Amino acid sequence: MKHYMDYEKKYKEQLNENIKKVIEEIDSDYMNIKISKFAEKYDESPESIKKKIIEDEIFRKIFAKEPSKQNFYQNVAAEYIKNIDGVEDFEVLPQGGDKAMYMVSGNLIQGKSLKNKNQNSKSIDFYWRYYKYEVYASHKFIKEEGGAQDNQYQDVQNFLNDSRDNN
């Protein structure tokens, strides 16, 4: 097994899969809404847009789902971690709500127990057992600096600071 995850390769594979699905899903409610909005925006008929999607692969790419909006990076990381020798009971944890897990000042806390719902901690992404250890992990994937990426970097720093006092 590789000791790293090739996110870019996996991203392109998923994007190509999503492009293929555009034709399969062209008559779905989701795609009809997307096509209708596009047609209205550019003063075209939905039928002409559908025809162009079917005939033109480059145009079809406009309607493909963006992998990064499908929990793609989290799913890729999860699949990678699950396949590491020694990993057992792997779980993708809920992102919010009563069953989400948080690390606050060195304490592992379930969402329903949080007193201050406006606290700064983000929910923990993954749990697994690795031999005698229980592992809780935060996962973020960013490619560029600035803006929202800085916020994600800060989220991971906060998680590490909150986890420091928990062994």
Side-chain angles (χ1 to χ4, degrees):
M1 183 168 93
K2 291 188 296 187
H3 296 288
Y4 67 94
M5 177 46 58
D6 189 345
Y7 281 108
E8 290 303 314
K9 179 181 176 192
K10 292 285 189 182
Y11 175 88
K12 287 181 181 179
E13 289 171 0
Q14 184 63 54
L15 185 57
N16 285 326
E17 190 63 34
N18 290 353
I19 292 166
K20 289 177 191 173
K21 287 182 181 177
V22 169
I23 296 293
E24 295 170 19
E25 298 172 353
I26 199 160
D27 290 319
S28 69
D29 291 342
Y30 165 79
M31 194 59 74
N32 279 325
I33 290 168
K34 196 168 183 174
I35 290 169
S36 293
K37 287 180 179 180
F38 186 90
E40 185 177 324
K41 180 178 180 178
Y42 294 104
D43 201 24
E44 297 287 341
S45 72
E47 294 76 23
S48 68
I49 301 301
K50 278 188 178 184
K51 184 176 189 283
K52 184 75 171 164
I53 289 170
I54 292 167
E55 295 172 351
D56 186 340
E57 184 178 357
I58 293 173
F59 186 72
R60 186 177 314 141
K61 292 175 181 183
I62 295 168
F63 295 88
K65 291 179 182 175
E66 171 57 41
S68 63
K69 295 182 179 176
Q70 299 175 294
N71 287 334
F72 170 76
Y73 293 109
Q74 182 177 7
N75 295 339
V76 169
E79 201 56 41
Y80 180 81
I81 294 166
K82 277 193 251 184
N83 290 307
I84 295 172
D85 288 338
V87 169
E88 296 179 8
D89 301 329
F90 179 88
E91 291 180 53
V92 175
L93 300 174
Q95 294 179 354
D98 287 350
K99 294 187 178 187
M101 300 299 293
Y102 299 84
M103 187 64 70
V104 180
S105 300
N107 297 304
L108 190 60
I109 298 175
Q110 203 169 29
K112 66 183 175 186
S113 299
L114 281 178
K115 290 183 172 81
N116 179 2
K117 295 293 183 184
N118 294 324
Q119 53 81 32
N120 290 330
S121 295
K122 299 296 181 195
S123 62
I124 299 171
D125 296 305
F126 304 129
Y127 164 82
W128 67 90
R129 285 186 317 108
Y130 185 74
Y131 300 105
K132 66 178 185 173
Y133 300 100
E134 288 189 46
V135 179
Y136 292 88
S138 178
H139 173 267
K140 301 289 182 203
F141 178 82
I142 56 176
K143 297 190 321 184
E144 298 172 11
E145 296 179 21
Q149 291 80 4
D150 288 348
N151 294 339
Q152 290 188 23
Y153 179 76
Q154 188 65 46
D155 289 346
V156 173
Q157 281 187 318
N158 290 340
F159 174 75
L160 291 172
N161 287 334
D162 280 337
S163 301
R164 191 175 333 164
D165 295 329
N166 186 303
N167 62 5

